[in-house]
Amino acid sequence: MARQLTVVAPAGTGAGARAYPWYMLALFVVANSFNTIDRVAMNLLIEPIRREFGFGDLQVGVIAGFGFAAFHALFGIPIARRADRGNRRNLLGLGVLLWSGMTVLTGRAGSFLSMLAIRVGVGVGEATCYPTAVPMIGDVFGKSQRSAALAIFQTGAFIGVVGGSAVVGLIAASHGWRAVFTALGMPGLVLALLIVLTVREPPRGAASDAADATLASGSYRQAWTLLRSNRRFGLLFVAVALMWTGASALIIWGPPFLMRLHGVGAREVGTVVGPITGGAGLIGTLVGGALSARLVKRSGDPRAPLRLVTLGALLATPATLVFVFSSSLAVALAGGAVAVFFNGIACGPILAAAIVLVPSDQRGLASSLIVVFAQQLLGLGISPLIVGLASDAGAASLGDQSLRWAMLIPCVALAGGWIAARAAARDTGLIEKAHA
């Protein structure tokens, strides 16, 4: 008999009420894909943008990584606390409106500073996505299948990579890079209206266990103290930060790497390379979510998702080394696709592990700490900056090869992520026992 996904339906009966959770999840998947498409465009177009403005690799790292991620993180915790206390639907709608408008303005940038200011606005808007959508999914879908629902949500990122890459490549080839951002930003304005007008705010903790209800809500300081004192969550945070240091460097510096060292054109990167790696990540995320749900159901062990995280970090490391050091374009692409696949394996399990370690009214904060700080600030923000610095430092003596050697940094980070994830999978914490 096929397994049924446990959901908490909204008020009402009939097919509409049963279908509503899927409708909400579908809208959130689209929001997550739009949340990713803008970053995909920046990554794929950074070389023509760099050439037009005369940017160095350090400036590339600031615009594509740190400048975006720093403000994404700076506003992430206040937004998460607002999401934990206020109306998450309206907050998400406002965020989609902001980041979509700023995406349109990216095509109007005329200097490094104006580009940086616009990217900051995009980062603030996109900081609303996970702290609002993840807890709402957790409130609608039951615990036994929450990993699968969150993995479906995570597929939005890779749908954005696959679909966005092709769109970016085609539009950029015929109309230039500025037209790309206008075309990508406009649909988000419609999505913001759909979210505000058609999504209902679910009751908090509707799909949680009794253990969730017994953990009282606290202040911002108390919530932060709770998360810091949870050893298993701390190890998970470190593992995610290191893993995303490697993954983000591959995503952001992968297109310039292929253009400089393998002679790939911007159109080919968008229409061929992007869909290959994005498809690998999409499959990896779906496989990871399905395996996580199956392992938890069969074993009853909440550490099962972390074992998938450990496996993903372990196998992504050698695959990234193949991408960096292979002289063959085909082999390099295969290595990059395998690395993205195993990073995708970890996506659903990471969020599922994080939100069951905290009370239901602090899931926004927990998901924000993982996504905004570990993935975005430390992974997406710091990693491209360090790689850019290392590449600029060696450019005088190594030329384009300096980027190849700078890409050793994410390989080392992935290995460190495996060590931290392995420790987290072996550890047991008080919050874990409360939710067991």
Side-chain angles (χ1 to χ4, degrees), residues 31 54 91 94 181 195 214 237 285 323-324 335 339 359 365 401:
L91 186 58
L94 180 62
F181 291 99
I195 290 173
T214 62
F237 182 91
T285 302
F323 172 80
V324 171
L365 179 59
Q401 290 293 326

Side-chain angles (χ1 to χ4, degrees), residues 42-348:
M42 180 58 67
N43 297 340
L44 295 178
L45 298 173
I46 199 64
E47 273 297 287
I49 292 172
R50 182 184 70 87
R51 289 194 295 265
E52 178 175 325
F53 289 102
F55 295 156
D57 282 349
L58 176 58
Q59 289 174 300
V60 168
V62 171
I63 289 177
F66 185 77
F68 167 90
F71 284 86
H72 190 92
L74 179 65
F75 284 84
I77 292 298
I79 286 173
R81 294 309 299 158
R82 179 63 181 172
D84 283 336
R85 307 295 184 186
N87 188 297
R88 296 165 290 186
R89 176 202 62 191
N90 292 345
L91 186 58
L92 177 59
L94 180 62
V96 174
L97 183 67
L98 175 59
W99 88 57
S100 299
M102 288 294 176
T103 298
V104 173
L105 289 178
T106 302
R108 273 71 172 173
S111 66
F112 173 77
L113 289 179
S114 63
M115 178 74 77
L116 179 59
I118 292 168
R119 300 305 297 168
V120 166
V122 173
V124 173
E126 292 186 0
T128 64
C129 187
Y130 277 74
T132 54
V134 170
M136 290 175 73
I137 292 170
D139 286 337
V140 169
F141 290 88
K143 178 183 176 182
S144 64
Q145 292 295 329
R146 195 174 290 141
S147 290
L150 287 170
I152 292 172
F153 170 68
Q154 287 283 73
T155 62
F158 295 103
I159 292 171
V161 173
V162 175
S165 297
V167 170
V168 168
L170 292 173
I171 296 178
S174 56
H175 299 287
W177 69 265
R178 294 181 182 275
V180 172
F181 291 99
T182 301
L184 295 181
M186 296 301 293
L189 305 180
V190 177
L191 177 63
L193 287 176
L194 281 175
I195 290 173
V196 172
L197 296 178
T198 66
V199 172
R200 294 187 289 269
E201 177 79 9
R204 298 179 192 275
S208 301
D209 345 12
D212 286 330
T214 62
L215 291 171
S217 172
S219 67
Y220 174 88
R221 184 181 296 275
Q222 290 170 329
W224 180 254
T225 300
L226 172 64
L227 295 174
R228 288 184 59 193
S229 64
N230 187 328
R231 171 179 165 82
R232 188 164 174 248
F233 183 87
L235 288 169
L236 177 64
F237 182 91
V238 172
V240 174
L242 290 171
M243 289 176 62
W244 254 256
T245 293
S248 297
L250 184 63
I251 291 170
I252 290 178
W253 286 108
F257 180 90
L258 293 172
M259 292 179 187
R260 296 183 198 179
L261 297 172
H262 291 279
V264 179
R267 179 167 184 161
E268 289 73 22
V269 167
T271 58
V272 179
V273 177
I276 288 174
T277 55
L282 174 62
I283 295 171
T285 302
L286 290 172
V287 171
L291 284 176
S292 175
R294 185 175 182 84
L295 287 173
V296 171
K297 184 175 181 179
R298 290 184 62 182
S299 69
D301 186 357
R303 291 176 295 179
L306 277 174
R307 295 195 177 100
L308 288 178
V309 177
T310 303
L311 177 67
L314 175 63
L315 298 180
T317 303
T320 303
L321 284 168
V322 170
F323 172 80
V324 171
F325 288 104
S326 175
S327 59
S328 165
L329 176 60
V331 174
L333 287 177
V338 171
V340 173
F341 171 81
F342 284 112
N343 279 319
I345 285 281
C347 284

